[in-house]
Amino acid sequence: MFDLIKGLRTTAKYLFTKPVTISYPEVKRPVRERFRGKHELKRYADGKERCIGCSLCAAACPADAIYVEPAENNPQNPVGYGERYAAKYEINMIRCIYCGYCEDACPTNAIVLEHQYELSFYDRKAAVFTKEILLQPVDKGWGEPPPILQNLNRPPNPPAQMEL
Amino acid sequence: MLKTEELQINIGPQHPSTHGVFRLMATVDGETVVHLEPVFGYLHRNHEQLGEIWTYLQTITITDRLDYFNSMINEHGYCMTVEKLASIEVPERAEYIRVIMSELSRILNHAAAIGFWLQDMGSWGTTLMFGFRQREMIMDIFESVGGSRMMCNYMRFGGVARDLTPNLVEQINLFLEGFPQFIDDFERLMMENEILLARSRNVGVLPKELAAAYSVTGPVIRGSGIPYDIRRAEPYSIYDRFAFDIPVGSVGDVYDRFLVRMEEMRQSHRILRQAMEQLPQASGSYINQAYKAASKQQGLRLPAGEAYCRVESPKGELGYYIVSNGGNSAYRYGIRAPSLINLTALNDMCRGYTVADIVVILGSIDIVMGEVDR
């Protein structure tokens, strides 16, 4: 009997401490800096797309979630700085396991796993995120184009990696 | 005299107290268990076959999903095996980071396992949440270190993916400071609780000889009184540098396993304290620079040969076996999963006890079906 009271003393002690829980939909817990959430396709500062349609992310993906269909850039009005760009870029968010290998494999830092984690869908078709959803809006530029890509005759090598 | 008859009861596969999709075929005589047959395979995900199809780097992501409570230790074992086969050297600092992550994972696993076990026993919510509060703090550390709370995907061949920044070191130290308070409170709350003692003492006894014969490992064999721990029996990584004790039980019942887990958390805390102290003096980088490129791209090819490495997972001895024929994915990839082998002793542990005890005994083995079925 005494042992139960001993346990209850600990319970009583915790009765007056601040709760550690948060009520989620109203209060959102900020994620950490290295968190891997929804992907984003980045742009250069001038609005050009970073993705060069090389499909290295699709090759690195363990879950086979990425589909890339490249197309040749029009030299008069290029979409990106490479010879090619991704005409179609789809990620199946149900298949994706958020390992971050696409980010590691990307030679131009085009794909980055960002902090958005609220991903829910009404049907399976909506879970396939197309390029329109993934691509960063034009007004949010990000960084300078690497000099190696400004010379169009050379392939993007060595890979520029991001250190967090 | 009434005529009695043995009755067969199916518990699971969709039963909350079986810790996943796991079925128990119990033959009972009245309330007493006569025979018990575990049936598993409901969560089979073709893990070993996938490891033979995917590249070595891609396979790290599924080792997270083996025993999803301690992804860091799974990765540690797998990376060690590949490093052994490819003779990749791991810098000292990387080894320290790995050990810190492994021990944090062990605390995480035991806190959750004890919580679940007490929940199975009928201590609704409180104790589970008590363990989960601590688990949440560690998962927060994992999120800041590796980017994900459970499926960390943090270790790479030749080190770890990203370095520990001073902020993270501070975060881990802050957790370590508060930890003894948690475990003292937990002990005061539960250790001498009458209901717990009544439910767990002399229940599910696994004698020493039987435990060794079944080759069970982890807290189950230590609860039975055999001080077998891979960290001491075959020190891997840098575990030979730390002073820690291996707790053993005396009777081999469910209560002993609970006590062993509690003490192991304290010992993990002791190792962590030493590791955090020695971390600034450790030489080298967080990853072997020669393999940094290989750790980010999928092109790593291992020389032909085979390797087996084992680590002490919170569930027991976790072994990885890789046969390579020179390609960029394994020719044969096998796992010795501790949960599966500990589960084979369930019949002998449960025989003679009541149906209500089955759940308590199963909880004390601490199985994770992701690892059992693979």
Side-chain angles (χ1 to χ4, degrees):
Chain A
M1 192 61 210
F2 175 71
D3 303 320
L4 278 179
I5 293 163
K6 201 175 160 190
L8 273 173
R9 222 170 58 200
T10 313
T11 315
K13 204 177 93 189
Y14 274 90
L15 213 57
F16 300 105
T17 52
K18 223 176 115 214
V20 291
T21 49
I22 51 168
S23 39
Y24 159 64
E26 289 88 27
V27 187
K28 277 176 191 166
R29 176 180 158 277
V31 293
R32 298 287 175 176
E33 198 192 340
R34 293 176 181 177
F35 184 77
R36 300 190 296 260
K38 196 199 113 190
H39 310 65
E40 232 175 57
L41 283 172
K42 299 289 186 185
R43 287 178 192 270
Y44 291 117
D46 55 2
K48 292 263 196 297
E49 283 174 22
R50 274 177 174 263
C51 182
I52 52 169
C54 65
S55 300
L56 275 176
C57 46
C61 184
D64 210 1
I66 305 177
Y67 174 72
V68 188
E69 206 177 273
E72 293 285 329
N73 251 330
N74 179 7
Q76 268 76 50
N77 184 22
V79 180
Y81 280 102
E83 276 175 28
R84 301 190 295 176
Y85 72 100
K88 248 188 188 177
Y89 196 104
E90 287 172 359
I91 300 180
N92 190 339
M93 286 295 173
I94 295 178
R95 284 198 75 96
C96 179
I97 58 171
Y98 303 94
C99 61
Y101 283 163
C102 47
E103 197 181 272
D104 280 351
C106 188
T108 59
N109 282 346
I111 188 158
V112 177
L113 276 81
E114 281 291 352
H115 290 177
Q116 169 69 9
Y117 56 88
E118 287 157 322
L119 301 159
S120 46
F121 332 97
Y122 281 111
D123 52 57
R124 277 165 186 263
K125 214 173 171 190
V128 180
F129 280 17
T130 53
K131 198 176 163 189
E132 287 77 51
I133 305 171
L134 296 166
L135 196 64
Q136 198 186 29
V138 187
D139 54 334
K140 276 198 205 164
W142 196 68
E144 289 283 302
I148 197 127
L149 274 175
Q150 288 171 0
N151 183 356
L152 286 179
N153 295 327
R154 283 169 60 192
N157 186 47
Q161 294 294 346
M162 186 171 61
E163 291 287 343
L164 277 179
Chain B
M1 192 70 186
L2 277 168
K3 191 170 157 269
T4 59
E5 203 176 309
E6 282 179 1
L7 181 73
Q8 206 171 51
I9 308 176
N10 271 307
I11 307 172
Q14 302 293 345
H15 192 277
S17 66
T18 53
H19 295 240
V21 274
F22 173 52
R23 187 167 127 218
L24 292 157
M25 272 165 66
T27 312
V28 293
D29 184 5
E31 188 71 7
T32 320
V33 179
V34 183
H35 184 75
L36 191 135
E37 201 174 310
V39 184
F40 32 74
Y42 294 95
L43 201 64
H44 183 60
R45 294 158 302 171
N46 230 336
H47 181 101
E48 292 181 2
Q49 188 73 55
L50 274 177
E52 289 158 20
I53 296 166
W54 288 358
T55 63
Y56 291 110
L57 189 62
Q58 286 177 335
T59 308
I60 300 178
T61 60
I62 35 169
T63 57
D64 287 347
R65 285 146 178 88
L66 264 180
D67 171 0
Y68 36 79
F69 272 101
N70 50 312
S71 53
M72 287 289 193
I73 295 183
N74 296 338
E75 287 165 20
H76 192 173
Y78 180 72
C79 288
M80 266 169 56
T81 320
V82 172
E83 280 153 12
K84 191 177 175 184
L85 193 53
S87 20
I88 301 172
E89 260 181 46
V90 184
E92 206 183 4
R93 184 175 169 85
E95 290 277 28
Y96 272 102
I97 298 173
R98 281 182 176 191
V99 165
I100 289 165
M101 291 305 142
S102 292
E103 292 308 312
L104 281 173
S105 237
R106 199 180 311 280
I107 293 176
L108 182 155
N109 181 81
H110 283 342
I114 291 171
F116 279 130
W117 176 67
L118 291 164
Q119 167 108 344
D120 287 347
M121 218 180 274
S123 148
W124 276 105
T126 312
T127 39
L128 178 67
M129 286 306 137
F130 217 87
F132 262 44
R133 195 174 49 133
Q134 218 60 21
R135 177 171 176 258
E136 192 62 34
M137 285 168 161
I138 301 173
M139 290 213 295
D140 199 28
I141 293 172
F142 285 173
E143 189 187 318
S144 4
V145 165
S148 191
R149 287 151 55 83
M150 284 178 87
M151 305 300 152
C152 306
N153 195 16
Y154 182 54
M155 310 227 177
R156 296 286 191 275
F157 310 132
V160 292
R162 283 159 186 178
D163 202 3
L164 278 188
T165 57
N167 280 346
L168 295 173
V169 172
E170 203 178 310
Q171 196 185 349
I172 297 170
N173 277 330
L174 204 69
F175 164 77
L176 290 181
E177 253 166 52
F179 185 73
Q181 171 74 26
F182 153 77
I183 203 151
D184 289 343
D185 276 351
F186 205 57
E187 268 180 12
R188 265 204 300 278
L189 187 68
M190 289 317 294
M191 200 81 113
E192 288 164 22
N193 189 300
E194 268 181 25
I195 303 167
L196 188 141
L197 291 180
R199 289 295 306 270
S200 63
R201 263 206 185 147
N202 294 319
V203 169
V205 177
L206 187 68
K208 218 176 187 174
E209 296 74 31
L210 203 58
Y214 269 120
S215 75
V216 297
T217 42
V220 182
I221 202 170
R222 289 196 284 275
S224 293
I226 302 175
Y228 180 69
D229 191 317
I230 310 291
R231 289 176 292 173
R232 191 52 62 74
E234 190 192 299
Y236 59 93
S237 196
I238 46 163
Y239 274 108
D240 46 356
R241 297 187 191 180
F242 305 116
F244 63 97
D245 300 324
I246 297 167
V248 285
S250 49
V251 189
D253 58 0
V254 173
Y255 189 60
D256 270 352
R257 275 165 231 149
F258 164 64
L259 293 184
V260 164
R261 288 210 173 88
M262 291 298 271
E263 187 54 35
E264 258 179 42
M265 281 203 272
R266 282 186 193 281
Q267 296 302 331
S268 282
H269 178 253
R270 217 173 126 192
I271 296 174
L272 277 168
R273 266 281 153 87
Q274 294 169 47
M276 292 308 285
E277 237 168 60
Q278 294 168 20
L279 181 69
Q281 284 103 48
S283 64
S285 168
Y286 65 97
I287 194 163
N288 190 336
Q289 294 298 330
Y291 284 91
K292 199 173 170 185
S295 79
K296 293 211 167 178
Q297 262 114 52
Q298 310 286 336
L300 180 72
R301 280 168 192 275
L302 299 194
E306 57 178 359
Y308 179 78
C309 251
R310 49 192 192 159
V311 290
E312 179 71 23
S313 126
K315 270 98 181 166
E317 177 183 334
L318 175 68
Y320 287 94
Y321 177 60
I322 293 175
V323 183
S324 162
N325 58 359
N328 62 356
S329 59
Y331 174 74
R332 174 78 182 97
Y333 167 55
I335 297 154
R336 185 220 190 266
S339 291
L340 172 68
I341 293 167
N342 292 356
L343 204 53
T344 53
L346 188 66
N347 182 17
D348 278 278
M349 281 192 228
C350 289
R351 211 184 294 127
Y353 301 102
T354 58
V355 176
D357 287 334
I358 294 177
V359 171
V360 178
I361 296 165
L362 185 68
S364 80
I365 304 177
D366 182 19
I367 56 161
V368 162
M369 291 318 282
E371 192 176 52
V372 175
D373 295 336
R374 275 165 294 180

